[in-house]
Amino acid sequence: MTEKYFLLQDEAAGESIRLSVRESVQGPPAIDVSRLYRDSGIFTYDPGFMSTASCESRITYINGEAGVLEYRGYPIEQLAAQADFIEVAYLLLYGELPNAEQLQRFDHLITYHTMLNETLKNFFSGFHYDAHPMAIMVGVVGSLSAFYHDSLDIDNPRHREISAHRLIAKMPTIAAASYKHNIGEPIVYPRNDLSYCGNLLRMMYATPCEEYQPDPVAERALNLLFILHADHEQNASTSTVRLAGSSQANPFACIAAGIASLWGPAHGGANEAVLNMLTEIGDVANIDKYIAKAKDKNDTFRLMGFGHRVYKNYDPRAGILREMCLEVLEKLADSNNPMFELALKLEEIALSDEYFVERKLYPNVDFYSGIIYRALGIPNNMFTVMFAIGRTVGWVAHWMEMMSDPLQNIGRPRQIYKGAPRRDYVPLDKR
Ligand code: SDX
């Protein structure tokens, strides 16, 4: 196939540069500008990386215009309807769906890494009781980098794999312990006879005084939520993990950096912000007032759970979650849940408003997820923690993909300098 390239024309100098094109399996190709500065002394400028491919990846494909999301080529709708979260974790890590023996072995591996080093318990008591669970997650996950000296040679694929398994396995245990710290109850240890999701529910809701039997509907709901949140290409937190990892940093520290980035309300923190927003709106009668605030350029208020950098169509995950809301609310909570009714009405009004239609602002994954978490009895400040549990699989999959690339190099963006020109120091008595 003939090589495709672009010509970059410097009209003033009467010169042009040939830039080759890197083809994709599906989705847009990319103009390779990696040597542009070396060959021509000029940078490209793309704050927020609206038009920048930071890497090549085989893990997840998104078509924002068509509302398509695929993990290793499998449509999210099929995985959501038929797969188990641990099965999807294996797919994202290794690139293929596991057979029964591979799945059983992987599930056993993850299960037997769910316990925490006992001294880690002391970290939780160091936080004030009302510390945000995401603050605890950042701290405790980062501290794992001080524990596992037996798997720290990140040039060793086996060490990288063990770190990935430990992170996937321990996130629910750390999440549940963060929740227990918030409510002043003792930490509950994982059990090896429960599923990944069942273990999390039990670690959150069992107490020394009363056993807890995970509700299968709740277990299924969490399984679906974790599948939907598992990966999403080069989003802010995954790009944070890749950039941190590109310096050969400790994998646990890199995932802590990803958790920090996810926490922002423009990213994974939006699910908590949606419930806070719906609570503030309170009643259908107030929707028009808040839609007007969202459209008002002088008002910082945004419709949380709406809009997406990539999806200019309905986020496929939001559609799946809206359907699941109905099932979970019917079986676990009051089916005429006022919060859900309000969300449906808000979506209906927004999607008929020119401002949102023109800007292609649709509900995203965070718009409905909080309603389901709440129906499962999970408090608002734990919603982004739930997101982090699912997304840990994507973070470690991208970290492993990057670290196994022999051409992998430290990420080091440049800038356009707009500061003061060179000037001489002025002694204090002359200022
Ligand atoms: C996630 O990247 C990922 O893949 C993320 C994620 C994942 O799985 O990892 O999908 C998870 O983070 C989902 C997004 C969750 N965030 C929110 O719901 C917060 C609310 N949404 C926005 O802040 C915003 O939509 C972003 C941050 C999500 C996307 O911002 P963009 O792509 O930079 O879009 P923009 O800010 O340039 O907005 C374009 C226009 C602007 O108006 P104009 O300047 O053109 O007049 O749309 C407006 C914005 O003001 N706009 C909104 C809006 N989102 C965008 N106006 C009101 N309410 C909103 N929610």
Side-chain angles (χ1 to χ4, degrees):
M1 183 167 74
T2 49
E3 191 206 6
K4 271 196 330 196
Y5 58 85
F6 277 68
L7 268 186
L8 190 60
Q9 194 92 28
D10 178 345
E11 283 183 3
E15 294 162 2
S16 60
I17 307 158
R18 272 169 68 122
L19 297 168
S20 63
V21 172
R22 297 183 80 98
E23 293 298 347
S24 63
V25 166
Q26 50 183 359
I31 299 171
D32 186 340
V33 295
S34 53
R35 297 177 183 284
L36 181 64
Y37 175 64
R38 190 204 63 178
D39 297 347
S40 68
I42 191 168
F43 294 147
T44 58
Y45 178 64
D46 184 15
F49 312 121
M50 309 279 273
S51 308
T52 294
S54 61
C55 63
E56 289 187 345
S57 179
R58 290 162 179 71
I59 299 173
T60 292
Y61 170 67
I62 302 173
N63 178 327
E65 288 64 34
V68 166
L69 170 58
E70 295 167 356
Y71 292 163
R72 299 283 189 181
Y74 294 98
I76 192 67
E77 295 80 2
Q78 294 181 25
L79 294 170
Q82 304 174 64
D84 168 82
F85 174 64
I86 292 300
E87 185 183 3
V88 169
Y90 183 100
L91 170 68
L92 287 168
L93 283 186
Y94 299 108
E96 297 299 334
L97 286 169
N99 61 34
E101 193 267 329
Q102 290 165 329
L103 180 57
Q104 191 278 328
R105 192 149 29 91
F106 183 66
D107 188 44
H108 182 272
L109 247 179
I110 296 298
T111 301
Y112 281 77
H113 273 304
T114 48
M115 268 184 66
L116 300 178
N117 183 302
E118 192 63 9
T119 49
L120 252 175
K121 275 174 60 178
N122 305 326
F123 284 72
F124 294 92
S125 52
F127 288 96
H128 204 257
Y129 79 92
D130 61 355
H132 194 292
M134 282 298 277
I136 300 174
M137 294 296 286
V138 171
V140 174
V141 172
S143 72
L144 292 177
S145 52
F147 282 79
Y148 296 105
H149 301 286
D150 65 334
S151 60
L152 265 191
D153 173 7
I154 55 173
D155 294 325
N156 179 332
R158 184 69 194 112
H159 284 199
R160 297 201 294 265
E161 188 180 32
I162 297 171
S163 299
H165 295 165
R166 280 177 164 145
L167 279 157
I168 294 170
K170 294 180 193 310
M171 283 296 276
T173 313
I174 296 169
S178 307
Y179 170 67
K180 286 300 201 185
H181 181 72
N182 268 178
I183 61 175
E185 288 184 5
I187 290 173
V188 173
Y189 288 74
R191 280 228 320 248
N192 294 342
D193 61 335
L194 294 175
S195 72
Y196 188 83
C197 297
N199 233 336
L200 172 60
L201 289 165
R202 182 181 167 278
M203 289 189 282
M204 286 183 70
Y205 299 131
T207 69
C209 326
E210 194 171 327
E211 192 39 80
Y212 170 85
Q213 193 57 40
D215 182 315
V217 173
E219 233 177 306
R220 225 167 62 74
L222 270 190
N223 180 67
L224 176 59
L225 283 156
F226 289 155
I227 288 172
L228 296 177
H229 287 83
D231 192 47
H232 214 237
E233 194 212 74
Q234 304 309 320
N235 58 85
S237 54
T238 300
S239 298
T240 301
V241 171
R242 278 182 172 260
L243 195 56
S246 73
S247 71
Q248 317 277 305
N250 177 288
F252 299 101
C254 295
I255 299 305
I259 295 171
S261 171
L262 183 75
W263 191 7
H267 188 12
N271 53 21
E272 178 180 359
V274 166
L275 259 289
N276 296 338
M277 174 187 74
L278 290 174
T279 306
E280 185 183 337
I281 294 174
D283 186 277
V284 171
N286 300 328
I287 287 179
D288 288 343
K289 184 177 88 175
Y290 281 87
I291 293 272
K293 279 171 64 69
K295 292 158 61 174
D296 178 358
K297 289 301 161 212
N298 301 316
D299 192 323
T300 55
F301 176 80
R302 282 198 161 183
L303 217 48
M304 300 315 280
F306 260 76
H308 198 280
R309 172 59 60 76
V310 176
Y311 288 123
K312 300 310 170 190
N313 197 320
Y314 214 96
D315 181 335
R317 303 167 295 176
I320 296 168
L321 286 172
R322 183 173 53 174
E323 292 315 308
M324 195 174 84
C325 272
L326 291 165
E327 180 192 341
V328 170
L329 291 173
E330 260 157 37
K331 294 182 180 160
L332 284 183
D334 45 340
S335 51
N336 62 342
N337 179 297
M339 208 56 92
F340 183 48
E341 301 303 324
L342 185 60
L344 287 173
K345 195 67 187 159
L346 180 60
E347 176 191 348
E348 180 196 323
I349 295 174
L351 293 188
S352 59
D353 184 298
E354 192 44 37
Y355 173 93
F356 293 90
V357 173
E358 197 182 278
R359 292 167 178 77
K360 300 181 179 176
L361 302 176
Y362 292 89
N364 59 51
V365 67
D366 293 308
F367 189 63
Y368 287 106
S369 56
I371 293 169
I372 299 170
Y373 289 135
R374 200 171 190 161
L376 301 180
I378 294 167
N380 291 17
N381 68 359
M382 282 290 289
F383 293 176
T384 312
V385 172
M386 294 292 134
F387 194 146
I389 293 172
R391 187 52 56 89
T392 294
V393 169
W395 290 333
V396 296
H398 281 274
W399 176 75
M400 284 174 74
E401 181 179 66
M402 178 185 73
M403 296 307 290
S404 62
D405 176 357
L407 301 177
Q408 186 269 327
N409 203 337
I410 190 165
R412 205 294 186 196
R414 300 300 305 274
Q415 63 175 17
I416 297 175
Y417 178 70
K418 305 284 270 189
R422 185 182 179 81
R423 52 185 170 166
D424 294 327
Y425 179 79
V426 178
L428 187 58
D429 59 3
K430 296 268 186 306
R431 286 178 224 159

